[in-house]
């Protein structure tokens, strides 16, 4: 945020990207709080303005940057104010003489009201100056002479700044614009007025007003107290810059700065920090995707959990949410407010009730699902996701890939409400676009599918249909994935045991195993037994089958299946120890035993992590 050096380099626009709920707005607001009384700054939400509202948008920036700041006083924006005044009222150009008389009146009215505005701006600046002078130059109590001295200095300075020569300087800027242009200022202001009231010319109006704002900032930091306080730039924080107005502002800013650089103008001491749902085009944008929370950050967020909560609960929250900030914060806040939910683990947290104006009785899971749909599935022109398409999308969530989701949408009549374009827009199956928020939404949709009653599109029917399709296509990994999702653990274990020597499959046995074990579970959230005990229960029926290592393969499959379930409880240490033990037992039967031993070591580490 330090000001530009003599070389005139302009700082890039910092653009922080992420889906709704990733912490963009919080980041900008906390940045503003940290800048308070250190440098002039403004925070504006671009989503609150329509594409034609740039004058109102710039007015809000001007008002906030004009707030009194120690060391800077109040910044002045006479060029921008003149431009705003000229564009407010439409001038009738039918008669050129009458038009220029009307335009001159607009300019004179702006000038006539300047003395009072100047006094308001000087208020505070003079106060700081007087305090400094009396502290340094006299032993008398400053408060005795401070008030009359402030009035005297303000009156003198106001008269000086309100003189015609000073005020005309802002008008003349519209003729030369700091580039020695030869245009008559009144003609340029007339053109600005025509642009403002011609819908096809609003972009020219907006560009000129942004240019006036930049010129005012440049002048404000080039003289007076601001010139002495050149440690920091002033800062503009733009939230939701992906909106039409936000994109237009950034485009004008980048074009003007490139032009200024070419013209040799001094760099304006301004840092723009913006947020966006997605990356935006522009060479002058320094883009930073906001990362998900790390384990340590989620642990810090949960530092005030009730004593009754399991100390491993933050790890479960991190595992479920993938570090998606909005979801992690909601789960932690629920755990802090509702001790019974905190004691019950992830399942209890998701089913805990929350206050929701839109729904009479809503759970945390309902709130999360609603917020994620709003954040991720917005349609073109910012239209909300259609409610009637949620159930078909829930059916499609069972699919591993976009292609399989489209197959489901075509197979089931109601799923026709979800067309291929909508499925692609969701990003649920796009590895390049998918975030922790996308993964969490798919998990919640799968839980929704699991709660459906028996019928045409219930859990077992959907998983069985996808399994059969993969079998017909010769997709072994998909066939076993959906078989396991449908509860066919013995079948999946037997087939994986057959492939263990590395025969008959196009991929390594370990990669096949890991992809199959990613299958979702339909099991309830809570059970009286520990995860390790459930692993043993799931595989007990295969204990006497041949070959002897079948049950060990089955325990690995069941263990990974349980470990991958984000709602499995925190007592996972024994589960991972058993997985590690069985990996080592079956390694002798595989064609790549080193890989299996490495996996065993990894699960030993996970056992220590969950201890």
């Amino acid at each position: 945020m330090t000001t530009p050096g003599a070389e005139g380099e302009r700082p890039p626009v910092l653009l922080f990207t992420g889906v709704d709920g990733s912490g963009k707005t919080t980041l900008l607001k906390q940045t503003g709080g940290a800048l308070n009384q250190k440098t002039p700054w403004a925070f504006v939400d671009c989503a609150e303005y329509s594409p034609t509202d740039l004058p109102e948008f710039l007015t809000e920036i001007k008002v906030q940057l004009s707030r009194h700041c120690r060391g800077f006083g109040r910044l002045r924006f006479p060029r921008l104010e003149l431009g705003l005044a000229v564009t407010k009222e439409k001038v009738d150009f039918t008669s050129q003489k009458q038009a220029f008389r009307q335009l001159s009146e607009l300019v004179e009215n702006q000038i006539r009201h300047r003395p009072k505005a100047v006094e308001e701006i000087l208020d505070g600046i003079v106060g700081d100056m007087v305090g400094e002078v009396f502290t340094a130059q006299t032993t008398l109590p400053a408060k005795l002479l401070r008030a009359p001295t402030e009035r005297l200095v303000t009156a003198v300075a106001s008269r000086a700044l309100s003189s015609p020569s000073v005020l005309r300087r802002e008008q003349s800027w519209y003729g030369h614009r700091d580039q020695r242009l030869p245009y008559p200022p009144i003609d340029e202001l007339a053109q600005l007025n025509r642009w403002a009231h011609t819908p096809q010319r609003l972009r020219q109006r907006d560009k000129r007003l942004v240019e006036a704002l930049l010129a005012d900032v440049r002048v404000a930091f080039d003289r007076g107290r601001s010139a002495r306080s050149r440690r920091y730039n002033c800062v503009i924080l733009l939230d939701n810059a992906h909106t039409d107005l936000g994109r237009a502002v950034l485009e004008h800013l980048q074009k003007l700065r490139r032009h200024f650089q070419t013209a040799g103008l001094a760099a304006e001491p301004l840092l723009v920090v913006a947020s966006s749902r997605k990356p935006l085009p522009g060479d002058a944008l320094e883009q930073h995707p906001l990362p998900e929370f790390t384990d340590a950050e989620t642990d810090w967020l949960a530092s005030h959990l009730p004593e009754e909560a399991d100390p491993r609960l933050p790890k479960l929250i991190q595992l479920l949410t993938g570090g998606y900030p909005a979801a992690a914060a909601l789960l932690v806040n629920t755990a802090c407010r509702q001790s019974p939910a905190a004691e019950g683990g992830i399942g209890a947290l998701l089913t805990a009730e929350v206050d929701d104006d839109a729904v009479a009785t809503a759970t945390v899971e309902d709130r999360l699902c609603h917020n994620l749909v709003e954040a991720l599935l917005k349609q073109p022109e910012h239209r909300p996701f259609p409610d009637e398409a949620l159930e078909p999308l829930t059916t499609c969530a069972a699919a591993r890939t976009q292609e399989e989701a489209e197959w489901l949408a075509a197979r089931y009549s109601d799923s026709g409400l979800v067309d291929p374009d909508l499925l692609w827009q969701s990003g649920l199956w796009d590895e390049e676009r998918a975030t922790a928020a996308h993964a969490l939404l798919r998990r919640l949709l799968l839980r929704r599918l699991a709660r459906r009653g028996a019928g045409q599109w219930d859990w077992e029917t959907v998983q069985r249909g996808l399994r059969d399709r993969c079998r017909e296509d010769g997709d072994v990994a998909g066939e076993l994935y959906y078989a396991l999702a449908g509860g066919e653990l013995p079948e999946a274990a037997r087939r994986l045991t057959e492939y263990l020597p590395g025969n008959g499959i196009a991929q390594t046995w370990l990669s096949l195993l890991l992809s199959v074990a990613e299958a979702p579970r339909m099991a309830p959230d809570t059970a009286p037994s520990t995860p390790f005990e459930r692993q043993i229960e799931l595989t007990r029926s295969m204990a006497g089958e041949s070959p002897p290592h079948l049950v060990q393969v089955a325990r690995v499959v069941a263990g990974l299946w349980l470990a991958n379930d984000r709602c499995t409880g925190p007592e996972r240490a024994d589960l991972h120890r058993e997985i590690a033990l069985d990996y080592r037992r079956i390694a002798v039967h595989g064609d790549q035993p080193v890989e299996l031993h490495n996996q065993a070591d990894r699960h030993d580490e996970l056992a220590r992590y969950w201890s």
Side-chain angles (χ1 to χ4, degrees):
M1 292 188 303
T2 54
T3 51
E7 67 279 2
E9 293 182 359
R10 289 169 169 82
V13 174
L14 302 181
L15 182 68
F16 293 92
T17 61
V19 299
D20 289 354
S22 59
K24 305 185 301 296
T25 302
T26 300
L27 172 66
L28 294 186
K29 288 185 175 180
Q30 288 183 346
T31 300
L35 294 174
N36 202 33
Q37 291 304 311
K38 291 184 175 66
T39 191
W41 64 278
F43 171 89
V44 186
D45 185 354
C46 299
E48 295 179 357
Y49 299 87
S50 73
T52 60
D53 286 344
L54 188 120
E56 292 79 4
F57 171 84
L58 292 178
T59 298
E60 180 62 26
I61 289 178
K62 173 186 76 75
V63 168
Q64 293 191 37
L65 289 180
S66 299
R67 291 175 299 197
H68 181 261
C69 179
R70 286 195 300 267
F72 294 86
R74 297 183 190 273
L75 302 187
R76 299 174 57 237
F77 296 89
R79 294 159 187 80
L80 175 61
E81 288 173 352
L82 180 57
L84 292 171
V86 166
T87 58
K88 186 175 295 185
E89 182 180 335
K90 183 178 181 179
V91 173
D92 184 359
F93 284 92
T94 304
S95 166
Q96 184 173 0
K97 183 177 181 180
Q98 183 177 349
F100 276 90
R101 183 184 300 115
Q102 185 181 355
L103 190 64
S104 297
E105 289 175 358
L106 290 175
V107 175
E108 291 301 325
N109 286 338
Q110 177 67 18
I111 293 174
R112 196 176 302 123
H113 289 89
R114 183 64 57 79
K116 181 173 177 58
V118 169
E119 289 188 15
E120 292 175 354
I121 292 169
L122 288 170
D123 180 33
I125 300 178
V126 173
D128 286 350
M129 294 172 57
V130 170
E132 292 173 6
V133 169
F134 276 106
T135 300
Q137 304 295 333
T138 182
T139 58
L140 291 174
K143 63 181 181 181
L144 294 180
L145 296 176
R146 183 184 183 104
T149 306
E150 282 184 19
R151 286 194 294 271
L152 175 61
V153 175
T154 298
V156 173
S158 175
R159 180 175 295 275
L161 290 174
S162 303
S163 66
S165 61
V166 173
L167 295 174
R168 299 296 178 188
R169 187 182 302 141
E170 281 74 48
Q171 181 180 348
S172 67
W173 175 86
Y174 281 88
H176 61 76
R177 303 208 314 275
D178 295 328
Q179 300 167 65
R180 298 183 179 179
L181 300 175
Y183 306 125
I186 196 67
D187 289 345
E188 294 301 300
L189 289 170
Q191 181 171 255
L192 179 59
N193 183 273
R194 291 197 300 273
W195 286 343
H197 299 282
T198 306
Q200 299 84 357
R201 300 293 182 182
L202 292 182
R203 287 185 62 83
Q204 286 96 321
R205 173 204 68 178
D206 295 347
K207 183 179 179 182
R208 187 58 46 81
L209 292 177
V210 172
E211 185 177 358
L213 171 72
L214 296 177
D216 282 332
V217 170
R218 196 183 306 116
V219 171
F221 276 73
D222 193 44
R223 62 190 64 171
R225 301 190 70 208
S226 298
R228 299 197 302 271
S229 302
R230 290 300 294 265
R231 183 179 177 188
Y232 294 107
N233 292 316
C234 64
V235 180
I236 296 177
L237 307 170
L238 302 180
D239 200 14
N240 292 311
H242 57 270
T243 57
D244 292 340
L245 181 130
R247 291 167 68 99
V249 168
L250 292 182
E251 183 180 337
H252 289 316
L253 184 64
Q254 292 179 83
K255 286 183 177 179
L256 286 167
R257 282 182 155 182
R258 283 196 296 268
H259 179 71
F260 294 162
Q261 193 79 26
T262 303
L265 269 67
E268 49 284 333
L270 171 68
L271 177 65
V272 177
V273 184
S275 75
S276 172
R277 285 187 190 140
K278 56 186 178 182
L280 299 177
D283 296 338
L285 302 180
E286 185 176 297
Q287 314 211 27
H288 300 272
L290 280 181
E292 282 82 20
F293 282 167
T294 63
D295 285 8
E297 288 166 336
T298 300
D299 196 52
W300 174 85
L301 188 69
S303 56
H304 298 294
L305 287 174
E307 295 181 0
E308 299 84 357
D310 190 295
R312 294 164 294 191
L313 183 58
K315 296 178 180 178
L316 291 175
I317 292 174
Q318 178 73 5
L319 189 64
L320 173 70
T321 64
Y324 175 51
L330 178 58
L331 290 169
V332 168
N333 289 338
T334 302
C336 290
R337 293 194 309 268
Q338 303 184 35
S339 296
E343 294 179 58
I346 287 295
L349 282 177
L350 288 174
T351 56
E353 293 186 1
V354 293
D355 295 332
D356 195 319
D357 295 336
V359 183
T361 303
T363 64
V364 170
E365 184 172 358
D366 295 332
R367 171 76 66 80
L368 279 175
C369 192
H370 173 79
N371 291 349
L372 285 164
V373 167
E374 287 292 308
L376 303 178
L377 305 185
K378 289 184 181 296
Q379 302 304 290
E381 299 179 359
H382 309 294
R383 289 181 289 109
F385 185 80
D387 291 339
E388 64 272 15
L390 184 58
E391 285 305 320
L393 183 65
T394 299
T395 301
C396 294
R400 294 174 308 161
T401 66
Q402 173 87 22
E403 181 185 3
E404 291 174 351
E406 292 175 5
W407 179 82
L408 277 175
R411 178 180 175 87
Y412 297 109
S413 58
D414 285 355
S415 294
L417 293 167
V418 182
D419 59 42
D421 287 341
L422 190 148
L423 290 175
W424 181 85
Q425 290 166 10
S426 72
L428 293 179
W429 298 274
D430 189 328
E431 292 185 2
E432 293 184 359
R433 289 190 296 153
T435 64
H438 291 86
L440 176 58
L441 176 58
R442 183 164 175 255
R443 292 185 195 115
L444 296 177
L445 291 174
L446 283 167
R447 284 170 57 86
R448 186 184 181 97
L449 177 61
R451 291 194 295 270
R452 277 188 188 166
Q456 185 179 2
W457 306 294
D458 64 6
W459 179 278
E460 292 183 1
T461 301
V462 173
Q463 304 295 347
R464 187 165 55 248
L466 288 165
R467 179 205 62 189
D468 294 344
R469 178 180 185 271
C470 290
R471 181 181 294 161
E472 292 172 4
D473 292 344
D475 181 355
V476 174
E479 178 188 352
L480 298 183
Y481 172 97
Y482 291 115
L484 184 59
E488 301 176 31
L489 173 61
E491 173 64 17
R494 293 187 188 101
R495 294 280 298 281
L496 284 166
T497 302
E498 292 174 12
Y499 295 128
L500 181 56
N503 301 324
I505 51 176
Q507 60 193 114
T508 67
W509 185 85
L510 179 60
S511 65
L512 175 62
L513 167 69
L514 295 178
S515 64
V516 170
E518 286 290 338
R521 293 179 67 238
M522 188 185 175
D525 302 327
T526 58
S529 55
T530 66
F532 169 66
E533 291 169 342
R534 269 176 275 162
Q535 177 194 30
I536 301 304
E537 291 168 7
L538 288 168
T539 58
R540 184 173 286 117
S541 64
M542 289 175 278
E545 294 191 29
S546 182
H549 62 276
L550 168 61
V551 69
Q552 296 161 357
V553 173
R555 282 201 294 265
V556 171
V557 176
L560 293 174
W561 195 29
L562 288 163
N564 289 333
D565 185 352
R566 270 57 175 181
C567 290
T568 297
E571 297 176 353
R572 295 167 173 247
D574 288 340
L575 178 68
H576 287 289
R577 291 190 189 99
E578 183 62 29
I579 294 172
L581 181 62
D582 287 315
Y583 261 130
R584 293 188 175 98
R585 286 172 176 167
I586 65 175
V588 67
H589 302 285
D591 65 331
Q592 294 181 322
V594 174
E595 287 189 2
L596 302 185
H597 280 286
N598 289 339
Q599 287 296 309
D601 294 341
R602 175 175 171 270
H603 283 276
D604 283 335
E605 288 292 330
L606 287 170
R608 286 188 283 273
Y609 176 79
W610 288 102
S611 295

